[in-house]
Amino acid sequence: MIDLYTWGTPNGRKVSIMLEECGLDYAVHPIDIGKDEQFQDHFLAISPNNKIPAIVDRDNNNQSVFESGAILIYLAEKTGKFLPKEPAKRIAAFEWLMWQMGGVGPMLGQVHHFLRFNPGKAPYAEERYHKEGLRLYGVAEKRLAANEWLAGDEYTIADIASWPWFSRFEWHDVNFDGLPNFKRWYNAVAARPGVKRGYDVPARGQEIPTIP
């Protein structure tokens, strides 16, 4: 059994989706970041950066793991799923996971901050981060024009990491007319049963947005 400490954010959804995709038993412990519950001592003991998500693996001497990318790698290695063993494919999965961790998450997070929650306060920042967000969509489109999935011909932790950030596309002011391969990928991930189950964790009645 795995204890999952999480909230309904892109980073949180990465891990609940991974747990569902791997078929692992887990117990959900909501950490309401709107109420600053991430600063409580019991949570800081397993996530010293006071960020969700975090896990505790009861089956492995109560091993705790924080940082969503590290958790995905841990669960992939624990189960042998969604991380190729062949060296070149494994490196590709790590490359595109790091692309999400270092680019998609931080940059789209700034898009959310400036364009959705603070519009009109910082025009320069709005333009800068919106432009960078659209560039990342373009990077994904180019990659997916030549590959079925981000890391190549296999669905991996790179897709699981990236998709939840793009699932907030309604906040990104993006035109999908020039992104047919991205759209195909996004909807393919959204249709997976494990993704559907893992999206609304903790259960708050949230539905996956689909690209028509």
Side-chain angles (χ1 to χ4, degrees):
M1 174 69 73
I2 288 176
D3 290 309
L4 170 63
Y5 298 83
T6 193
W7 196 240
T9 70
N11 283 337
R13 287 173 177 144
K14 294 178 195 176
V15 178
S16 52
I17 287 171
M18 181 67 171
L19 288 163
E20 290 286 350
E21 291 277 40
C22 291
L24 291 168
D25 292 329
Y26 65 101
V28 178
H29 303 275
I31 301 294
D32 189 340
I33 60 177
K35 297 179 180 178
D36 288 341
E37 291 179 357
Q38 70 272 29
F39 296 102
Q40 294 178 352
D41 289 342
H42 78 281
F43 182 66
L44 289 173
I46 59 173
S47 183
N49 196 34
N50 59 265
K51 301 288 185 181
I52 62 95
I55 65 168
V56 174
D57 187 350
R58 298 187 209 169
D59 300 324
N60 186 22
N61 298 315
N62 290 323
Q63 174 69 56
S64 63
V65 188
F66 73 100
E67 287 295 328
S68 58
I71 298 170
L72 293 184
I73 294 169
Y74 176 84
L75 294 175
E77 292 182 337
K78 175 183 176 73
T79 61
K81 296 181 178 180
F82 310 116
L83 182 58
K85 292 183 172 58
E86 194 275 317
K89 291 183 177 183
R90 188 178 181 88
I91 288 296
F94 285 139
E95 286 177 327
W96 288 93
L97 172 64
M98 297 307 140
W99 173 75
Q100 184 282 308
M101 297 295 296
V104 172
M107 294 301 104
L108 291 185
Q110 295 300 321
V111 172
H112 300 168
H113 180 79
F114 287 106
L115 271 71
R116 179 171 178 84
F117 297 113
N118 296 281
K121 292 184 178 180
Y124 171 79
E126 289 184 35
E127 179 182 4
R128 173 182 172 81
Y129 289 115
H130 184 226
K131 184 180 295 185
E132 176 62 9
L134 296 182
R135 187 191 71 81
L136 291 164
Y137 273 89
V139 171
E141 170 65 23
K142 185 175 181 179
R143 175 67 176 175
L144 294 164
N147 298 274
E148 184 176 3
W149 306 102
L150 284 173
D153 60 0
E154 296 180 42
Y155 176 74
T156 71
I157 56 176
D159 303 290
I160 293 170
S162 299
W163 182 88
W165 280 98
F166 289 119
S167 74
R168 285 187 168 170
F169 63 85
E170 294 170 318
W171 298 6
H172 302 159
D173 191 19
V174 57
N175 185 335
F176 289 105
D177 289 346
L179 301 171
N181 296 290
F182 176 92
K183 177 180 174 180
R184 181 264 307 161
W185 168 82
Y186 175 89
N187 287 334
V189 177
R192 294 178 65 92
V195 174
K196 291 179 179 180
R197 292 191 302 269
Y199 182 83
D200 189 29
V201 175
R204 294 159 67 204
Q206 298 189 7
E207 297 183 359
I208 293 176
T210 56
I211 303 173

